[in-house]
Every structure is written in C-alpha cells, then in structure tokens.
Amino acid sequence: MSKYLKIGIYGIWGVFLFLASMEKFGDLFAVGNGFWSVIMLMVAGVCQLLASTAAIGWAVLGSGTLKAKYLPYKLVNNYTVPVVIIVLAFVASSARSSSDGARAQKLGFKDSKEFSIARENHITNTDDYAKFVEEQRVKAAEKKVQDALVAAEKANQDIVKKYISIFDEDKREQAKKTISRDLEENSVLTESILTEIKSYPNNSVDRTVGQRTYLDIGVSMKEYMSAIEQSNCRQKLNNSLFPLNEWNKSQFNLLNERFNAMRNVVDMDRIQLGKELQYERDKITMQYFYEKNKYQKSFNECVFRLLSSIPNRLSRPDARPAPVTDYIPEGIKCMRKPEGNIKSCY
C-alpha cells in the first residue's frame, strides 16, 4: 500500500470514528439516560475515540522514518493496527446497543432496535414513534403504488410501440390514445384484438375493417362478424334491397329502350342525346341510393345493437351506428347550380 493511499484511508477512517465518539458523548445528557446507559455511552465514546486516535496516529506515523522513531515495536504493524481499531469499534457498538437497550426500556420502547430507529430520527417518546412508524408505512404504501403505476405505464408504452405500426398512418394518433386507454381497462383483451389485426395482411380489407372495428366500437372483427352472421340483420337488409334492386334494373332497362328508340331519329343530336341519357341515369342512381340508404341505416342500427351480446368488448362511450352518406353524382351537383345545364354539366 502506498504511503499516500495509507494516509488517506486511515485518516478518513479516523475522522469518522472521532465524529462517532463525539456523538456518543453528546448523548450523555439525552432524555431517558440512567446510570447504566451513561456508563455504556462513555465506554462506547472512549473506545471510538481510542480507535480514532489509533487510525489517525497510524496514518501519520505508520510509515518511513517516523515509524522507526516513534513506533519501533514489531507488534505494531499493518496487520495488528486495523485489528485493534476494529475491535475497539466493535466494543463501542456493543456498548451503544446496551445503552440503547437501557434507554428503550426506560422510555417504553419495545427493544433497542426500535429505540435506535427512533433516536436516529430524533424521537424520544413512544407516541411520536408510533406516528413516525405510521407515516413511514403510508409512504411505503404510496411508493409501492407509485412504482406499480410507473411499471404499468412503461409496460403499456412498450405495447403501444409494438402495435402502433399495424395501423394506417392516418389512424395512428387515434390508435395511440385508444390503445393506452384500453390497456388500463383490459390489457389481455386489448392485446388479443391487436394481435388479431396484426395477423391480417398489410393493405387488406380485413386489416382495414379490423382497425375500424377496434377503434370505433372496441371489439374483435371476428367476433363482431360472427355476431352479425348469427343475427337476422343481414337477411332483413337483403330482403329489403331485393325489390329496390329489381326496380333499379327495370328503370335502367326502360331508359335504355327509350333512348335506343330516339337514336333512330335521323335529325337527333347524338351528343346531346348521350348527355341526356347520362343525366337520366344519374337521377335513377341517386334515387336508388336515397332509398337504399334508408335500409342501410336500419342495418347499421341493427348490427350496432348486437354489441350488447358480445361480452369481450372495450368501452367506447362515443360509439354510434356507422353513418350513412347520401350519394349525389357530380353531374347532379353541377345541375343544381344556378348556371347548371345538361350541356355544361355532362
């Protein structure tokens, strides 16, 4: 061991032992001391003071010519001095424990260990110690809850990062918020639905529908489709659409027959005729979708009510039946303008 390292180690050790001895002497007049506790504190203080003196003395005189001049004894060496310091420190610790035991008994504490904790926190009576213990218990419980929340939040963030890429770019911001909320509600169900969505091929209809079903109504697409197929919603829609589809076909057939007959007229402007034909087709198409949307709206409401029959679902307070949008051909939109006419709109 080099000279300077030795001086540093033993010097610091000696300073700490000296401060500890002063702390023992400072407690001589503390609350709860009796004859035995004072004696034990003095023993502890003296032992630590001697250990401090030995450590500092060895740091200063333990090497070179100073050792030969002032400590010419063979028994005083790098092996015996640390042992002496440790023994003195151990005796001081035992004496301090004995003193704490006597004070603890006098002040009404359960044992020296309990009193030692109280003394370190400047507590000298059992009532204050009971309050202190309760405060520590509450703090520990709060920390445990906080640690659990932090761990859960980190786990949720990891899951969000894992699955956010399966959503289309325009849905990722919504998906990020939705997944975080759903993980707090039911992490197992959320991961199950996300895993299902991930299993569908990229850019597929199934993946797109799976994303929307999860984001909008909080259920698995497979379970939702299964519930729909087992209900009579689709059959009612098909039954309602059948006569409408037949009407649509018949209207187009009649229209085609009428315009085919007009094409045989020699002086007919065929370009103008074609525009008029397209305009009439747009009117039929718009009327068809107007009637169809009524049935589609009923269908959407019907399948939306099926959610109550699906036990595995996540809460969506703002969920509503899928909206239905009216279809208006571009030509009709143009015709509705003040300057609109068949010649300019078709």
Side-chain angles (χ1 to χ4, degrees), residues 2-287:
S2 70
K3 175 183 177 181
Y4 297 106
L5 180 61
K6 181 178 180 181
I7 292 173
I9 292 175
Y10 281 96
I12 293 171
W13 195 3
V15 169
F16 277 108
L17 287 168
F18 176 77
L19 294 174
S21 69
M22 293 301 101
E23 187 257 341
K24 305 297 186 298
F25 291 130
D27 279 353
L28 288 174
F29 302 102
V31 176
N33 272 331
F35 176 76
W36 180 254
S37 60
V38 169
I39 294 297
M40 289 298 99
L41 277 174
M42 291 182 65
V43 171
V46 169
C47 286
Q48 284 191 321
L49 187 60
L50 289 173
S52 169
T53 303
I56 295 173
W58 187 244
V60 176
L61 305 175
S63 60
T65 56
L66 292 176
K67 179 180 182 301
K69 183 177 180 180
Y70 295 103
L71 297 172
Y73 313 107
K74 291 183 178 181
L75 291 177
V76 181
N77 53 53
N78 286 325
Y79 299 102
T80 57
V81 172
V83 171
V84 171
I85 295 173
I86 291 171
V87 169
L88 287 171
F90 177 76
V91 172
S93 176
S94 299
R96 165 57 110 178
S97 295
S98 179
S99 173
D100 284 348
R103 290 180 68 188
Q105 187 176 10
K106 188 172 183 179
L107 293 172
F109 287 90
K110 184 170 64 176
D111 51 34
S112 60
K113 181 179 179 181
E114 186 178 272
F115 175 73
S116 177
I117 297 173
R119 175 174 51 78
E120 290 173 0
N121 290 277
H122 310 290
I123 297 172
T124 56
N125 65 76
T126 53
D127 291 338
D128 288 345
Y129 181 73
K131 294 178 182 177
F132 168 77
V133 171
E134 179 61 19
E135 288 174 359
Q136 293 303 109
R137 185 192 67 77
V138 171
K139 288 180 180 178
E142 289 176 348
K143 186 177 184 303
K144 186 176 181 181
V145 171
Q146 184 62 30
D147 290 345
L149 290 174
V150 171
E153 179 63 24
K154 185 180 182 305
N156 289 351
Q157 289 176 359
D158 291 340
I159 294 173
V160 171
K161 290 179 182 178
K162 178 181 177 182
Y163 288 106
I164 195 66
S165 61
I166 69 175
F167 289 86
D168 298 337
E169 289 284 350
D170 60 331
K171 300 186 185 74
R172 288 185 181 177
E173 191 60 33
Q174 179 189 359
K176 185 176 180 180
K177 296 177 182 178
T178 303
I179 294 172
S180 298
R181 185 176 63 248
D182 289 343
L183 287 170
E184 294 180 6
E185 179 183 343
N186 190 329
S187 59
V188 176
L189 177 58
T190 302
E191 283 204 72
S192 174
I193 295 175
L194 293 174
T195 301
E196 177 193 317
I197 297 172
K198 188 177 181 180
S199 69
Y200 300 133
N202 291 334
N203 303 317
S204 66
V205 174
D206 284 342
R207 175 167 286 198
T208 301
V209 175
Q211 292 175 17
R212 284 266 56 99
T213 304
Y214 165 69
L215 293 174
D216 293 344
I217 56 179
V219 296
S220 156
M221 187 189 76
K222 287 182 179 177
E223 288 197 40
Y224 193 42
M225 291 298 107
S226 175
I228 292 173
E229 294 307 319
Q230 293 175 21
S231 72
N232 65 346
C233 296
R234 196 179 299 280
Q235 186 60 43
K236 287 169 63 177
L237 175 65
N238 291 336
N239 292 340
S240 299
L241 288 179
F242 179 76
L244 181 62
N245 290 334
E246 293 300 311
W247 172 86
N248 189 55
K249 291 177 184 178
S250 67
Q251 290 300 305
F252 272 107
N253 289 335
L254 291 172
L255 183 64
N256 289 332
E257 289 176 4
R258 181 158 62 91
F259 275 86
N260 285 335
M262 293 174 65
R263 283 194 181 98
N264 296 325
V265 178
V266 177
D267 296 333
M268 179 60 65
D269 184 344
R270 295 184 180 276
I271 295 177
Q272 180 65 19
L273 183 63
K275 290 184 177 185
E276 291 178 2
L277 174 61
Q278 186 58 50
Y279 173 56
E280 294 297 329
R281 283 177 175 172
D282 281 352
K283 289 199 296 182
I284 294 171
T285 301
M286 188 174 70
Q287 182 63 28

